Amino acid sequence: MKALSFGLSLIRHGETQYNKEGLLQGQAINLALSETGLQQAEAAGCYLKDVEFSNVFVSDMLRARQTAETIIKHNPSCSGLQMVCDPLLKEKSFGIAEGRPVQEVREMAKAAGETFPGFTPPRGETQEQVKERVKEFLGKILQQIGAEHWHNRGEEEASLSAAMEASPVEGKADDGVRGVPVHALVVTHGAYMCVAVRFFVEELHCSLPPGCDEAHMFALSPNTGLCRFLLTVRREDDGFKLSGIRCVFVHRRDHGKK
């Protein structure tokens, strides 16, 4: 059966002043990147400059858009691409806790017998609500990427799976996507990425990278932390359907090292 494989690279936005001060932003607080955040975005852009991208999706929040614009600026493969801003990629809403210290919300979560960032403060989004946004976004991009790239990229699924498994992880910026012409960059947020990665592993049965346990896999990604997945889709009568997903690496910050 024919299938299409593509890379999916999720990156968290750069630091904001609220990140630096340990304050929650969520959706109501739409800050720009701090000076450090701009430097982190530049470093991420330089790190990814030779990685080929075919699609770019970004949260419509300012901190994510600034990060994406900086990465795109450095990457020749993005010069003709449209950056698609999608509200489905917004950060989780933390309700009344937005603007308050993260530590205070951790204590609220502990008192409720829950953990942060899974805890839902009053008027905030539940994990389930964020997961529904993740599922809707993933379904949307599967259809878009399938429609755009199937015609000249569809290959036999068995040979694709073998090639994906054989792709070495060597600590390079293009790990997992060398020779993969379809590759989507997604710039989003920390709590959103936590929910997405957990959904990929627990419900889509995504394999973990060698030597990686679930505690690390489900941890909060640092600012401009990078996670990469390889997805395989099949064409069916009603569109395109995910048939496999593998994690190449999570929370990489090589580009942030001095």
Side-chain angles (χ1 to χ4, degrees):
M1 181 179 288
K2 277 196 167 186
L4 168 73
S5 73
F6 70 94
L8 181 68
S9 289
L10 304 178
I11 189 164
R12 186 183 176 196
H13 62 81
E15 183 200 80
T16 67
Q17 191 62 30
Y18 265 43
N19 290 145
K20 184 176 181 177
E21 295 174 5
L23 302 173
L24 268 181
Q25 292 167 104
Q27 294 182 4
I29 296 161
N30 198 20
L31 292 182
L33 297 180
S34 65
E35 192 57 43
T36 298
L38 291 169
Q39 291 170 5
Q40 290 171 338
E42 286 285 338
C46 291
Y47 181 72
L48 294 168
K49 66 184 173 61
D50 297 321
V51 177
E52 295 280 332
F53 293 107
S54 58
N55 300 80
V56 179
F57 303 96
V58 58
S59 159
D60 61 355
M61 303 199 75
L62 180 57
R63 54 193 185 271
R65 286 192 287 111
Q66 280 187 299
T67 304
E69 286 163 359
T70 304
I71 293 170
I72 287 168
K73 176 185 72 177
H74 288 280
N75 193 304
S77 73
C78 296
S79 61
L81 299 181
Q82 178 188 3
M83 187 177 84
V84 179
C85 292
D86 195 327
L88 290 172
L89 292 169
K90 275 183 191 293
E91 179 58 299
K92 174 180 177 175
S93 168
F94 289 97
I96 66 164
E98 292 183 0
R100 292 163 75 172
V102 174
Q103 187 54 40
E104 187 179 312
V105 184
R106 287 185 191 278
E107 289 162 6
M108 287 169 63
K110 188 176 180 181
E114 297 181 41
T115 57
F116 177 84
F119 173 66
T120 304
R123 299 202 292 277
E125 273 185 300
T126 65
Q127 295 291 89
E128 194 65 30
Q129 287 171 321
V130 180
K131 186 177 76 176
E132 285 305 310
R133 289 201 279 122
V134 171
K135 288 169 69 174
E136 186 177 347
F137 174 74
L138 182 62
K140 193 158 78 168
I141 67 164
L142 290 182
Q143 304 315 309
Q144 180 177 332
I145 286 174
E148 289 177 0
H149 302 287
W150 179 269
H151 180 66
N152 56 357
R153 301 297 184 194
E155 300 177 37
E156 291 303 317
E157 190 166 4
S159 62
L160 269 180
S161 293
M164 286 167 67
E165 290 300 327
S167 179
V169 178
E170 302 168 331
K172 296 181 179 177
D174 62 351
D175 279 345
V177 292
R178 285 187 288 280
V180 178
V182 184
H183 181 199
L185 173 67
V186 176
V187 184
T188 181
H189 304 266
Y192 185 94
M193 284 174 64
C194 283
V195 174
V197 171
R198 186 175 287 273
F199 169 64
F200 291 172
V201 172
E202 294 183 345
E203 298 190 37
L204 301 184
H205 311 296
C206 173
S207 61
L208 276 60
C212 178
D213 60 19
E214 287 193 354
H216 177 65
M217 193 85 180
F218 298 156
L220 183 67
S221 204
N223 287 114
T224 64
L226 179 67
C227 302
R228 181 168 294 151
F229 301 85
L230 284 171
L231 289 75
T232 306
V233 293
R234 289 197 304 262
R235 187 169 193 167
E236 299 192 348
D237 291 341
D238 57 348
F240 297 91
K241 184 177 179 181
L242 185 72
S243 62
I245 180 169
R246 177 169 79 87
C247 181
V248 181
F249 57 76
V250 287
H251 314 318
R252 182 179 284 183
R253 267 298 309 279
D254 294 5
H255 49 283
K257 292 177 181 176
K258 298 295 183 187

